[in-house]
Amino acid sequence: MSNRYVIILAAGKGTRMKSRLYKVLHPVAGKAMVDHVLTQVEKVQPDMIETVIGNGADKVKELLGDRTKYALQSEQLGTGHAVLQTEKDLGDKDGITLVATGDTPLFTAATFEKLFDFHEKEGAAATILTAHADDPFGYGRIVRDGNGNVEKIVEQKDASRSEQEIQEINTGVICFDNKLLFENLHNVKNDNAQGEYYLPDVISMLKEQGKKVSAYEMADLSESMGVNDRVALSKAEKIMQTRINEQHMRDGVTIVDPDNTYIDVDVEIGNDTVIEPNVKIFGSTKIGSECIIGSGSRISDSEIQDNVEVISSTIENAIMHKGSNVGPNSHLRPNAEIGRDVHIGNFCEIKNAKIGDRTKVGHLSYVGDATLGTDINVGCGVVFVNYDGVKKWHSNIGDHSFIGSNSNIVAPVEMSDHSFIAAGSTITNDIPKHAMAIARQRQTNKEDFWNRLPLSNSEDWE
Ligand code: UD1
Ligand code: CA
């Protein structure tokens, strides 16, 4: 097998996106488009990957790190000019170079691999990955001669009327004999409608030199979709979403309404988990087996272990251990760690807090900056008062303790094991083991109060 190289073009600004974010950094299913391309390219394990950067170069580099080499194209003079910037690293190499663009997020490694293999088998100087498009507008068209052999690629803006009717398009992915590619790139001209140096012009040049040019038509057009504007971005998102959801379903996840379920590409979900409609799962979230993720939930960058139930809740950067549950309508914020078989009920907010196994926080509570032990009962409406206006303070609650409803725990407080807080207390001091703290005014009943009221005899007061 010859050496294999990949060049990813990602220097363009993406004017048609009308965005402050550079085009190739726009996410599809939570991952930047150029990252999708690189991820698939990596699976092919080429001998070298080089990404051409320009607009937003620092941001692209920051994102992709040392997974690829880089070449800087400081002025964007076209795709041919872009490829030429890699000459320093690649120009003298023997082998096959696949050029891909950073705005085609749906390609799979399998397709790249097939193209490499086909190109090598054909012994071609260049092989274009083509597809049939019902609406080919915007793409370069594949012009073939009377014998069906590829003659050239003509861009939308340069195409004659009859060429515009051609529905076979250049997907933007082309394999080249590496040396021939660089030899010819120097002679590409920019005398076209856009005044750019087009990479596809190398195709007609190779033809004129009598070299073999092949085309490999892919069956699935959707894979090759290029994203130039937000309409295409939403279509790509939809296709990617369908692909992701179908994969999870094949792996044993029940997705009740796949059209309304949004799962980022790197999310993991165990089998026999049920995802109800209108759920979003983002980032690096991992969900275990036999969980229920109820309608309206949003989960990002979190770990949800087996047998967990999440009902209409928002979870970010949090961990839920086995058998725990949350919701409806609760919010687990960063660094919330929910222990095994814990119950977090409705309208609770947990932030930077650890909740020990089997503890219950049933209703309307805020737990911020606290460590709760095991088997604790937190009554309704308990507030961990963690902020004094300047600094956040931490409280610790011992195992098997009981916090009465509507209590305020003004941090920092140490509450020992097996201790109690009477309902309605505002706790500012530590509580020793086995004690009960009451920190509220005692109730007094004003006897016979009714009869002392001036109006008590009028009929209105009956
Ligand atoms: C390109 C192809 C077209 C193909 C389509 C497939 C050319 C001339 N046209 O058109 O035949 O059908 O892709 O999606 O190749 N880029 C640079 N430097 C530049 C110009 C572009 O790095 O100077 C990068 C862009 O960031 C982008 C990619 O190359 O990722 C493609 O550029 P774009 O302007 O989107 O080309 P298309 O018009 O889509
Ligand atoms: Ca494009």
Side-chain angles (χ1 to χ4, degrees):
M1 193 172 88
S2 340
N3 282 345
R4 294 180 171 186
Y5 313 101
V6 175
I7 300 170
I8 301 173
L9 306 183
K13 183 166 185 292
T15 314
R16 290 166 279 183
M17 295 297 280
K18 306 215 167 92
S19 175
R20 258 182 275 178
L21 187 64
Y22 302 106
K23 176 166 74 174
V24 298
L25 294 174
H26 274 263
V28 170
K31 186 183 263 208
M33 293 199 278
V34 66
D35 194 351
H36 277 290
V37 176
L38 178 57
T39 303
Q40 297 305 317
V41 163
E42 281 170 332
K43 292 186 190 166
V44 178
Q45 298 184 305
D47 296 282
M48 194 198 289
I49 306 172
E50 183 142 347
T51 302
V52 181
I53 51 177
N55 281 290
D58 292 344
K59 295 244 158 60
V60 177
K61 261 181 146 168
E62 194 184 314
L63 177 77
L64 304 179
D66 57 11
R67 294 161 59 198
T68 158
K69 280 177 152 268
Y70 298 96
L72 186 69
Q73 185 196 24
S74 31
E75 250 188 311
Q76 283 68 53
L77 303 178
T79 49
H81 178 260
V83 172
L84 201 48
Q85 309 312 305
T86 67
E87 190 174 30
K88 185 166 51 70
D89 292 323
L90 278 166
D92 62 346
K93 299 240 182 305
D94 282 316
I96 306 171
T97 297
L98 181 149
V99 181
T101 59
D103 62 350
T104 47
L106 299 166
F107 275 117
T108 59
T111 297
F112 292 146
E113 189 114 45
K114 275 188 215 150
L115 183 66
F116 265 124
D117 292 347
F118 180 84
H119 174 91
E120 194 158 6
K121 203 176 84 224
E122 290 278 295
T127 306
I128 311 159
L129 185 65
T130 74
H132 176 95
D134 288 337
D135 176 13
F137 184 85
Y139 288 101
R141 310 295 209 285
I142 308 298
V143 180
R144 292 180 184 258
D145 65 18
N147 300 323
N149 295 321
V150 177
E151 210 161 70
K152 59 175 180 175
I153 298 174
V154 57
E155 292 302 305
Q156 173 74 38
K157 289 188 178 148
D158 302 293
S160 67
R161 267 191 179 204
S162 60
E163 285 168 339
Q164 285 184 19
E165 274 161 27
I166 298 173
Q167 288 182 305
E168 189 182 7
I169 58 126
N170 168 26
T171 64
V173 177
I174 310 178
C175 264
F176 294 95
D177 172 274
N178 186 66
K179 285 231 169 109
L180 287 175
L181 169 64
F182 284 99
E183 266 170 48
N184 282 284
L185 272 179
H186 286 283
N187 301 324
V188 169
K189 303 213 164 44
N190 66 349
D191 51 353
N192 51 51
Q194 303 187 82
E196 288 184 5
Y197 298 91
Y198 293 159
L199 175 66
D201 282 1
V202 172
I203 297 296
S204 47
M205 295 163 79
L206 290 170
K207 278 302 279 194
E208 277 158 26
Q209 293 155 23
K211 301 275 193 291
K212 182 169 181 184
V213 172
S214 343
Y216 180 79
E217 188 172 343
M218 52 194 298
D220 180 10
L221 167 75
S222 65
E223 231 196 75
S224 65
M225 187 178 154
V227 173
N228 294 324
D229 61 21
R230 311 260 184 163
V231 176
L233 183 68
S234 79
K235 287 185 183 153
E237 179 78 37
K238 195 82 219 163
I239 295 167
M240 183 70 84
Q241 210 55 82
T242 305
R243 198 189 276 176
I244 292 168
N245 289 346
E246 286 181 358
Q247 188 59 50
H248 285 301
M249 291 188 275
R250 284 195 195 96
D251 291 344
V253 177
T254 294
I255 298 182
V256 177
D257 182 3
D259 285 342
N260 291 294
T261 303
Y262 306 88
I263 302 174
D264 279 357
V265 65
D266 291 327
V267 169
E268 293 172 24
I269 308 177
N271 66 325
D272 288 323
T273 283
V274 176
I275 315 273
E276 293 181 355
N278 196 18
V279 165
K280 291 192 167 204
I281 309 174
F282 301 97
S284 58
T285 298
K286 283 194 175 58
I287 296 181
S289 294
E290 297 183 51
C291 295
I292 296 173
I293 310 297
S295 292
S297 296
R298 273 175 84 89
I299 306 177
S300 50
D301 302 308
S302 294
E303 179 186 339
I304 310 290
Q305 298 184 357
D306 298 344
N307 292 102
V308 166
E309 198 170 335
V310 176
I311 305 300
S312 308
S313 290
T314 297
I315 302 180
E316 5 165 20
N317 290 91
I319 302 176
M320 292 186 74
H321 288 264
K322 284 184 180 175
S324 58
N325 65 68
V326 62
N329 302 312
S330 282
H331 190 178
L332 305 184
R333 293 177 48 208
N335 288 321
E337 183 172 351
I338 311 301
R340 278 184 88 133
D341 300 316
V342 163
H343 167 62
I344 308 287
N346 45 153
F347 301 103
C348 293
E349 176 176 331
I350 318 280
K351 185 219 76 174
N352 192 31
K354 196 170 168 177
I355 314 286
D357 297 348
R358 296 174 302 282
T359 285
K360 294 185 170 64
V361 185
H363 341 262
L364 299 149
S365 288
Y366 171 61
V367 183
D369 299 295
T371 305
L372 276 64
T374 63
D375 304 285
I376 295 167
N377 189 79
V378 177
C380 175
V382 170
V383 175
F384 281 73
V385 183
N386 58 332
Y387 186 50
D388 62 9
V390 181
K391 198 172 171 300
K392 300 271 165 69
W393 298 90
H394 195 93
S395 291
N396 294 308
I397 310 296
D399 299 343
H400 295 276
S401 43
F402 180 97
I403 303 176
S405 291
N406 205 28
S407 296
N408 299 307
I409 296 168
V410 183
V413 162
E414 296 287 325
M415 182 174 184
S416 305
D417 293 352
H418 296 277
S419 60
F420 301 80
I421 294 174
S425 294
T426 292
I427 300 296
T428 52
N429 296 324
D430 295 350
I431 306 170
K433 197 166 177 180
H434 294 167
M436 178 175 78
I438 308 183
R440 56 168 145 89
Q441 204 124 33
R442 286 244 170 204
Q443 178 174 338
T444 50
N445 292 338
K446 308 278 186 193
E447 293 293 336
D448 213 22
F449 185 72
W450 171 262
N451 289 323
R452 278 187 268 144
L453 292 175
L455 291 172
S456 59
N457 291 325
S458 92
E459 278 169 20
D460 296 352
W461 276 71
E462 281 309 315

